[in-house]
Amino acid sequence: MEAGAGGRKERPKPREPAARLERARQRAAQQELKQRQRAEIYALNRVMTELEQQQFDSFCRQMQASGE
């Protein structure tokens, strides 16, 4: 009989360092992407808030001009 041919199942090999490094690299890349997206969202929110304020100021000026 061959070695390991009995009723025993072979144990899975422990993770190799290369696979662990690749997974850590992917996790770091995913985290970096999330941080970048978050920064972009905050920047967009700031721009939209400024635009909304400008439009509101313009509206208030128009209302004052038509009321005079």
Side-chain angles (χ1 to χ4, degrees):
M1 272 191 348
E2 295 178 24
R8 296 186 312 187
K9 293 181 180 177
E10 290 187 28
R11 293 182 187 159
K13 294 181 181 179
R15 285 184 183 257
E16 296 180 11
R20 197 176 323 146
L21 286 174
E22 180 59 29
R23 186 164 184 217
R25 200 178 354 245
Q26 288 176 349
R27 230 178 297 138
Q30 186 69 26
Q31 193 167 2
E32 186 177 322
L33 176 62
K34 282 182 181 182
Q35 287 176 342
R36 181 176 176 211
Q37 288 175 334
R38 184 176 180 150
E40 289 175 359
I41 288 169
Y42 278 120
L44 180 59
N45 189 30
R46 187 169 41 254
V47 168
M48 294 301 290
T49 301
E50 290 172 2
L51 178 61
E52 184 179 11
Q53 185 63 46
Q54 290 173 2
Q55 289 176 338
F56 180 70
D57 292 341
S58 175
F59 171 76
C60 289
R61 284 192 298 273
Q62 286 177 353
M63 295 308 286
Q64 286 177 344
S66 67
E68 291 177 359

